[in-house]
Amino acid sequence: MSHCPSCGRYVGPYGDSACPYCGAHATGRTSIRAVKIAAILLATVGLAALWFAATQAEVPLIQIGQAGATMNMAYVRLEGRCTRAPTYDPESDYLSFWIEDQTGEIRVSSYRAETRELIRQNRVPALGDRVEVAGTLRVREDFLTLTINVPEQLSVTRAEPVERAIGSLSPADLYQRVRVQGEVRATYQPYDGLTIVTIRDETGSIPIAVTEDLVALSGSPLPLLPKGQSIEVVATVSLYGDTTQLVPSSVLDVVPLEQPVLVATEKLIGELSTADRGRQVLTRGTVTQVDHFSAGLKLTLDDGTGEITLLLWQDVYDAIPDGRDLHCLLYTSPSP
């Protein structure tokens, strides 16, 4: 203070203790150092309070269809089902997958350190999994994405597999997780990055789709699966167009078996009916009539209980050993 609060006279630097004229006590100015210390303490307390509020506050849950332009860069939480198998680039550590709820679909992605942590913690969702995830929302005119910033804010719920026969699977089972056993019928690559393994049991056949992304995420190659190898597969039912297929969550879910899987039920010809349509059956009989046509042979097979027409395409006919005109032991699929 420059003036005495009691007598009003100018006291100058003497006013820090007492007025030299009237002896009144004068309050001095607050030092700059004290102001600095107080400011630092206040800022520290404020940041601590802000951090506590941010970590304790629940991230708002929204539906995918609610995301609009005003929510761009908002930090939100979503729940849904994984509807597309994850894609993964090992070189850039970029991971993405799609989830949907009743209101829409969105792509969820992560980068580098977050992706590596998700893989380490086994938090990468598979097709059909239930997903709850929080992240930064990015809204474009016709495209939505959510970026994962904290790996722990992604949780995945995977259903227990249900034992099923291959022939019982249909498009109605989309996203259902099942366990099937079968015999490898064929393995091929329609294009680079995708391997199709077709398996069959006595009720039918189905393809298994294994992508290079799945192999990279699994950290293990697909086991050797020669034709005729019996395997057990835990996978999710998917659709390729109108075709039902299986998509495993890991190549470790494709397990070779030592014991053979029954792929055909032995029946008498007279026992076959339209209920066996599409099934693999084993039947024995005598060829009683042979008719050639452009693509192969049409045989009449008789076992004493009935007759059945057997079609042999040319490539199959050429593979049958000598003696084919006497008896047959063949797989066949009855039709009405």
Side-chain angles (χ1 to χ4, degrees):
M1 296 179 64
S2 60
H3 291 79
C4 176
S6 178
C7 65
R9 294 182 181 183
Y10 176 78
V11 293
Y14 300 103
D16 288 344
S17 56
C19 176
Y21 303 104
C22 67
H25 178 74
T27 303
R29 295 178 179 178
T30 303
S31 68
I32 298 295
R33 182 179 181 183
V35 172
K36 290 181 178 180
I37 293 175
I40 292 173
L41 291 175
L42 184 60
T44 303
V45 172
L47 288 174
L50 183 62
W51 174 84
F52 180 80
T55 55
Q56 298 300 315
E58 185 176 1
V59 181
L61 174 65
I62 69 167
Q63 292 184 315
I64 297 173
Q66 293 177 326
T70 58
M71 301 185 69
N72 187 38
M73 302 304 294
Y75 203 82
V76 299
R77 183 163 52 97
L78 302 173
E79 292 180 349
R81 183 194 299 275
C82 181
T83 56
R84 305 188 200 182
T87 59
Y88 172 60
D89 182 358
E91 294 184 1
S92 63
D93 282 322
Y94 173 74
L95 173 73
S96 70
F97 55 91
W98 291 76
I99 65 172
E100 71 172 12
D101 59 15
Q102 299 86 350
T103 64
E105 188 178 37
I106 188 172
R107 186 182 70 186
V108 181
S109 57
S110 65
Y111 301 85
R112 300 190 181 279
E114 289 77 17
T115 297
R116 292 192 292 269
E117 189 65 16
L118 287 173
I119 295 174
R120 190 189 69 80
Q121 295 182 13
N122 194 28
R123 289 177 180 265
V124 178
L127 186 70
D129 289 348
R130 302 297 304 181
V131 175
E132 180 178 337
V133 59
T136 303
L137 187 67
R138 286 179 169 83
V139 183
R140 302 293 183 265
E141 289 186 5
D142 57 350
F143 197 69
L144 290 175
T145 62
L146 185 81
T147 302
I148 300 173
N149 307 111
V150 181
E152 288 74 19
Q153 290 185 329
L154 170 65
S155 63
V156 177
T157 303
R158 186 165 298 164
E160 289 296 320
V162 179
E163 300 276 353
R164 295 287 294 273
I166 292 175
S168 70
L169 300 176
S170 70
D173 297 304
L174 181 63
Y175 302 135
Q176 297 299 307
R177 195 159 182 257
V178 299
R179 175 182 281 108
V180 300
Q181 292 185 348
E183 179 184 272
V184 175
R185 188 174 185 180
T187 301
Y188 65 98
Q189 290 185 315
Y191 56 84
D192 288 341
L194 177 64
T195 300
I196 300 295
V197 181
T198 302
I199 64 171
R200 68 180 180 186
D201 63 8
E202 60 179 332
T203 65
S205 63
I206 194 169
I208 304 169
V210 180
T211 64
E212 63 179 359
D213 298 316
L214 179 64
V215 173
L217 286 169
S218 303
S220 177
L222 187 67
L224 183 63
L225 300 173
K227 185 176 181 179
Q229 172 68 53
S230 295
I231 65 172
E232 180 179 84
V233 182
V234 175
T236 301
V237 180
S238 175
L239 291 179
Y240 179 74
D242 295 329
T243 303
T244 305
Q245 65 178 12
L246 295 177
V247 178
S249 60
S250 169
V251 296
L252 301 178
D253 291 333
V254 181
V255 181
L257 300 176
E258 295 183 0
Q259 298 298 323
V261 174
L262 182 65
V263 296
T265 302
E266 185 169 358
K267 283 193 172 185
L268 298 173
I269 294 176
E271 296 175 342
L272 299 177
S273 67
T274 56
D276 297 305
R277 186 177 184 180
R279 290 178 174 268
Q280 297 286 336
V281 297
L282 176 66
T283 186
R284 306 170 187 267
T286 304
V287 176
T288 59
Q289 185 175 342
V290 178
D291 295 315
H292 291 268
F293 66 102
S294 60
L297 291 178
K298 182 171 72 172
L299 309 178
T300 300
L301 193 64
D302 190 328
D303 70 348
T305 66
E307 292 185 344
I308 192 170
T309 299
L310 179 65
L311 295 178
L312 292 181
W313 304 113
Q314 192 64 47
D315 57 341
V316 177
Y317 171 70
D318 292 339
I320 298 177
D322 292 340
R324 55 180 175 268
D325 57 329
L326 298 177
H327 295 84
C328 292
L329 179 59
L330 302 169
Y331 294 122
T332 183
S333 295
S335 59

